[in-house]
Amino acid sequence: MKPSYSVLFAALITAAFAISADAQAAGGDPGIGTSAYPMDCSKAKDKSRCIALNKDIGACKDKIGDEWRECMHRPVPDTKITAPKLRDCTKASNIVRCEAHNAALEACNDKTTRAEHRRCMEGRPPAPANS
């Protein structure tokens, strides 16, 4: 009996799909959980944010997939910040732009949270660059 090429081709395609499906199942097992681990907050810029994130990681460690994403994407609590220092414009390559930035910093000096300060600074147009 002579095998036809269509049967041989179908068997080859079936084997290829079986191998690729087995490889995908081995790599992405949803029962394992997430790979998020608590971070060391001693060297973090924003220690309170790092601590809040570590608490969320601990609270969400048993969740998988969309549940984990919803659990982790909570709004971060606003923490009070100190106002940034003014720049020394004597050594700046664009003195006009540097002075405009310092003026914006002074205008936004009363903002106490990072989000408020960022919104205030975005509302200030930068000075034109040197041509």
Side-chain angles (χ1 to χ4, degrees), residues 2-59:
K2 187 175 177 184
S4 68
Y5 289 111
S6 62
V7 173
L8 188 59
F9 185 67
L12 185 64
I13 295 292
T14 305
F17 280 124
I19 290 171
S20 66
D22 186 38
Q24 287 177 355
D29 186 14
I32 292 175
T34 63
S35 60
Y37 298 102
M39 299 174 286
D40 179 24
C41 296
S42 63
K43 297 179 182 176
K45 275 186 182 178
D46 190 354
K47 292 187 190 326
S48 60
R49 181 177 176 161
C50 180
I51 292 168
L53 185 61
N54 281 344
K55 286 180 185 176
D56 286 346
I57 289 172

Side-chain angles (χ1 to χ4, degrees), residues 70-108:
E70 286 180 21
C71 182
M72 287 299 294
H73 290 292
R74 295 184 198 145
V76 178
D78 283 334
T79 56
K80 295 193 182 277
I81 61 165
T82 57
K85 295 179 183 176
L86 298 178
R87 296 177 180 174
D88 181 19
C89 293
T90 59
K91 299 176 184 175
S93 61
N94 188 343
I95 295 173
V96 174
R97 189 175 183 97
C98 180
E99 289 173 352
H101 181 76
N102 281 346
L105 282 177
E106 287 177 1
C108 298

